[in-house]
């Protein structure tokens, strides 16, 4: 198997535009980590074969280069794991743990294995461990919030290796080999600055370069921001930046101080766009997201995003479409700035603009598939040019690439609690677009999650008609994946909701579905009874064709 890769945040980062991507420093750490792979564990010493994959832990503060070190380690040792590499991010940009169900599902998808819609986390993790039992693979588990999230994904085979990245220890997992990161060595830190500034400014004043490294505490993320600031100002001396940073208030980490300095030096509009990117779903940004958040043109947003990449404030994402990622170490800093410098009402308005733009893009994405529908063509032509897709293939590609951000937008909109109308519209259009481009069967796992979100909103707002619709959809997906008993429970609840809504379609459909579930379970008497009730209701409404 070739190198398999999945990132549950949906993004694959590339290096900032101002630097090359050769790995710097960490020679000692890499040597120790590689030695730990071969070192005997407690089970081996006791004469027992290790029952599970070994775990190497790379721990450090955000911005310490822990993920870059993990990626370099994986690159070096990958030839020893011929079945490939699996990648997963175990926390959202705001630090919220990613549900195990979602991580396991994405890893199984990367292995091209089935992931039944609605399957429980235990079933999915068992399927993952079973799939890895006969393979020799590497797992890179980034942003692990704790031991529990790592432990549940570990293969039951010593032939696999897990490299976990976390802010602290993974207490509770046996035989973990920890590597705790500090700053880079001075030589590597100066070289990292040189990649941004060029060699001349460093060569003519090496002491100032070392002073700048010191004030950045040799932390890669802080050095990247300092280097990006210098690269954007070819006339600025390294000594000037070092002095200005030394004069900054000595509060917070080096990354916090450098970030605040760089942010305060940005033009007003660029600084505001940067702050509002903390609202981007899953930390993933495209020009439309930035444009709608800030209320500016798409072209202005694209230009600003590219400039933020050059400054080291954003990463580009390896993607056929322009897409960017907010570095995880900067996300909490951006959120804090947004909350302190933007009014709460403005932040909510920015969220609403972003969701409204997403709804319209999804409408356009679906409408272009309805080439034989004059009304759909008319609606498509009424949309602004920047919201239209040139071809159905372009729309499908956009949906595929933006899928993680679209699903994250739906989850965030529902969690917000104050944007339920927009959330309902977003989820309705997301379901339609996925069905149009992927088909119900292929999109079923994602659809299951969206229908559960619809149900959450319907229950919160006491909308019985929408409750019935969501329950019927979930029941159908349960039935398709063999969970007939679960489906029966959904259909009965849908019947109650349909009756409360006085919705004859929902009640009739629920009765037929209850009958079908009993038939599938082999209870033919109850099946006949429920089919009879559904028939009587159809006839009472003179619906002869349906009867």
């Amino acid at each position: 198997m070739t190198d398999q890769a999945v990132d549950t945040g949906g993004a694959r980062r590339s290096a900032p535009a101002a630097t090359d991507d050769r790995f710097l420093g960490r020679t000692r750490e890499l040597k120790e980590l590689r030695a730990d792979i071969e070192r005997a564990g407690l089970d081996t010493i006791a004469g027992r074969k290790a029952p599970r994959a070994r775990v190497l832990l790379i721990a450090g503060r955000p911005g310490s280069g822990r993920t870059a070190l993990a990626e370099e380690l994986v690159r070096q040792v990958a030839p020893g794991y011929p079945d490939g590499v699996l990648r997963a991010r175990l926390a959202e940009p705001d630090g919220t743990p990613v549900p195990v169900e979602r991580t396991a599902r994405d890893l199984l998808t990367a292995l091209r294995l089935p992931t039944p819609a609605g399957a429980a986390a235990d079933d999915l993790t068992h399927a993952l461990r079973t799939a890895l039992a006969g393979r020799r693979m590497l797992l890179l588990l980034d942003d692990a919030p704790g031991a529990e999230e790592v432990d549940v994904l570990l293969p039951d085979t010593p032939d696999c290796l897990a490299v976990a990245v976390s802010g602290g220890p993974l207490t509770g997992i046996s035989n973990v080999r920890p590597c705790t990161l500090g700053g880079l060595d001075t030589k590597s830190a100066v070289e990292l600055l040189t990649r941004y500034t060029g060699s001349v400014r460093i060569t003519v004043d090496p002491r100032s370069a070392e002073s700048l490294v010191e004030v950045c505490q040799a932390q890669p993320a802080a050095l990247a921001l300092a280097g990006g600031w210098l690269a954007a100002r070819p006339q600025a001396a390294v000594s000037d930046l070092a002095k200005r940073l030394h004069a900054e208030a000595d509060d917070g980490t080096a990354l916090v101080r450098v970030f605040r300095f760089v942010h305060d030096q940005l033009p007003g509009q660029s600084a505001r766009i940067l702050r509002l990117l903390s609202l981007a779903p899953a930390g993933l940004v495209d020009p439309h997201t930035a444009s709608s958040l800030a209320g500016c043109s798409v072209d202005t947003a694209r230009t600003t995003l590219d400039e933020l990449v050059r400054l080291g404030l954003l990463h580009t994402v390896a993607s056929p479409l322009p897409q960017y990622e907010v570095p995880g170490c900067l996300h909490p800093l951006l959120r804090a700035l947004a909350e302190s410098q933007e009014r709460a009402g403005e932040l909510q308005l920015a969220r609403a603009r972003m969701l409204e733009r997403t709804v319209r893009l999804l409408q356009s994405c679906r409408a272009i598939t309805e080439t034989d529908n004059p009304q759909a063509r008319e609606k498509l032509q009424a949309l602004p040019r920047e919201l239209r897709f040139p071809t159905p293939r372009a729309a499908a590609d956009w949906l595929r690439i933006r899928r993680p951000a679209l699903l994250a937008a739906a989850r965030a909109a529902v969690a917000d609690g104050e944007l339920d109308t927009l959330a309902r519209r977003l989820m309705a259009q997301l379901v339609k677009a996925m069905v149009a481009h992927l088909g119900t069967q292929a999109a079923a796992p994602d659809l299951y999650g969206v229908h559960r979100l619809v149900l959450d909103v319907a229950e919160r707002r006491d909308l019985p008609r929408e409750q019935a619709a969501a329950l019927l959809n979930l029941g159908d997906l349960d039935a398709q994946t063999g969970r007939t008993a679960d489906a029966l429970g959904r259909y009965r609840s849908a019947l109650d909701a349909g009756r409360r809504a006085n919705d004859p379609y929902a009640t009739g459909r629920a009765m037929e579905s209850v009958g079908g579930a009993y038939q599938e379970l082999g209870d033919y008497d109850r099946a006949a009874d429920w089919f009879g009730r559904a028939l009587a209701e159809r006839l009472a409404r003179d619906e002869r064709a349906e009867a």
Side-chain angles (χ1 to χ4, degrees):
M1 181 180 294
T2 57
D3 180 43
Q4 298 286 342
V6 60
D7 184 326
T8 57
R12 295 296 307 280
R13 288 181 293 182
S14 61
T19 71
D20 65 44
D21 58 1
R22 289 173 300 150
F23 187 76
L24 275 175
R26 306 295 191 195
T27 304
R28 176 182 57 81
E29 291 90 341
L30 281 167
K31 182 178 180 180
E32 291 177 354
L33 285 164
R34 295 194 65 168
D36 280 338
I37 297 174
E38 305 300 331
R39 191 168 294 144
L42 296 177
D43 288 310
T44 305
I45 294 172
R48 299 188 301 267
K49 185 176 181 181
R52 307 182 76 191
R54 173 160 291 182
V55 180
L56 299 183
L57 169 63
I58 298 175
R61 286 180 173 179
S64 62
R66 57 191 188 180
T67 298
L69 175 59
E71 288 284 4
E72 176 62 15
L73 175 66
V74 166
R75 187 191 68 78
Q76 291 187 12
V77 304
Y81 296 87
D83 290 317
V85 180
L86 289 173
R87 292 173 172 84
R89 184 174 301 169
L90 305 188
E92 302 283 8
D94 63 0
T96 304
V98 173
V100 171
E101 171 200 338
R102 198 191 316 160
T103 302
R105 186 181 298 282
D106 284 345
L107 291 173
L108 286 167
T109 299
L111 292 169
R112 298 183 177 90
L113 295 173
T115 57
D122 287 348
D123 295 331
L124 292 169
T125 53
H126 175 74
L128 177 62
R129 288 193 297 272
T130 301
L132 294 176
R135 304 177 193 244
R136 187 171 174 82
M137 296 196 77
L138 263 171
L139 279 75
L140 174 51
L141 306 176
D142 201 359
D143 290 340
E148 183 178 350
E149 290 78 10
V150 172
D151 187 66
V152 73
L153 299 171
L154 291 180
D156 294 324
T157 171
D159 294 328
C160 291
L161 173 69
V163 179
V165 177
S166 181
L170 298 179
T171 306
I173 301 178
S174 61
N175 287 334
V176 173
R177 304 292 189 178
C179 173
T180 303
L181 297 188
L184 290 170
D185 63 273
T186 302
K187 179 182 177 182
S188 297
V190 171
E191 186 177 343
L192 178 56
L193 279 176
T194 303
R195 290 182 176 182
Y196 285 90
T197 64
S199 60
V200 174
R201 280 193 281 180
I202 301 299
T203 304
V204 299
D205 194 357
R207 289 187 178 277
S208 292
E210 291 178 2
S211 177
L212 183 54
V213 166
E214 180 185 351
V215 77
C216 291
Q217 296 178 356
Q219 293 291 312
L223 290 165
L225 293 180
W229 188 88
L230 287 168
R233 295 163 176 79
Q235 303 306 315
V238 175
S239 59
D240 179 52
L241 177 58
K243 290 174 184 176
R244 294 175 73 171
L245 288 175
H246 271 295
E248 288 286 304
D250 189 19
D251 58 334
T253 65
L255 177 60
V256 170
R257 294 197 299 274
V258 178
F259 169 74
R260 286 177 181 167
F261 173 81
V262 172
H263 167 270
D264 292 346
Q265 298 292 309
L266 290 172
Q269 184 182 44
S270 298
R272 182 168 181 269
I273 289 176
L274 176 64
R275 292 192 297 270
L276 292 176
L277 295 185
S278 63
L279 304 178
L284 295 171
V285 187
D286 67 354
H288 275 289
T289 303
S291 163
S292 55
L293 284 171
C296 64
S297 71
V298 175
D299 287 342
T300 297
R302 175 74 183 271
T303 301
T304 302
L305 293 173
D306 287 337
E307 180 59 28
L308 294 175
V309 170
R310 284 190 285 273
L311 289 169
L313 291 161
L314 283 183
H315 293 143
T316 55
V317 174
S319 166
L321 299 177
Q323 194 168 203
Y324 310 79
E325 182 185 32
V326 177
C329 61
L330 298 186
H331 193 276
L333 308 183
L334 290 176
R335 184 178 58 192
L337 273 179
E339 291 173 352
S340 65
Q341 298 195 20
E342 306 286 339
R343 294 193 298 270
E346 284 296 322
L347 292 177
Q348 195 70 328
L349 181 59
R351 288 190 186 94
R353 284 195 303 263
M354 178 182 66
L355 293 176
E356 181 64 39
R357 177 75 61 89
T358 306
V359 168
R360 298 182 76 190
L361 283 165
L362 286 167
Q363 288 173 332
S364 175
C365 181
R366 176 179 61 89
I368 200 169
T369 66
E370 301 174 338
T371 53
D372 297 332
N373 186 331
Q375 289 181 327
R377 287 202 303 271
E378 186 177 334
K379 287 181 180 179
L380 192 60
Q381 290 302 314
L383 289 171
R385 183 175 297 276
E386 63 268 19
L387 297 183
R388 284 183 258 158
F389 295 95
T391 63
R393 175 63 182 272
D397 288 344
W398 174 82
L399 183 66
R400 173 179 55 81
I401 291 167
R402 292 292 292 168
R403 168 189 164 274
L406 293 169
L407 293 171
R411 292 191 295 268
V414 172
D416 182 279
E418 297 181 4
L419 298 170
D420 281 349
T421 299
L422 270 171
R424 289 155 59 199
R425 291 176 57 214
L426 171 63
M427 290 185 290
Q429 293 302 325
L430 182 55
V431 168
K432 291 176 182 177
M434 285 185 163
V435 170
H437 285 281
L438 305 175
T440 303
Q441 195 65 35
D446 286 339
L447 295 178
Y448 200 92
V450 175
H451 290 316
R452 283 200 295 200
L453 292 173
V454 172
L455 182 60
D456 289 344
V457 175
E459 290 176 343
R460 183 163 67 208
R461 294 289 181 179
D462 192 23
L463 303 169
R465 179 175 280 106
E466 292 191 16
Q467 285 182 46
L471 287 163
L472 286 168
N473 287 325
L474 288 167
D476 289 345
L477 290 169
D478 282 330
Q480 290 168 16
T481 50
R483 297 191 303 277
T484 310
D486 293 335
L488 178 59
R490 301 276 197 194
Y491 292 143
R492 282 186 170 278
S493 297
L495 178 59
D496 293 339
R499 284 171 172 164
R500 282 201 300 123
N502 195 26
D503 184 339
Y505 170 78
T507 55
R509 165 94 151 70
M511 287 178 182
E512 294 168 25
S513 298
V514 169
Y518 276 125
Q519 183 180 14
E520 186 67 24
L521 291 170
D523 191 338
Y524 301 116
D525 289 340
R526 283 194 174 92
D529 177 46
W530 282 100
F531 283 139
R533 296 186 199 191
L535 176 61
E537 186 156 316
R538 295 288 193 185
L539 292 173
R541 294 199 302 270
D542 199 30
E543 296 173 348
R544 298 288 172 176
E546 290 80 0

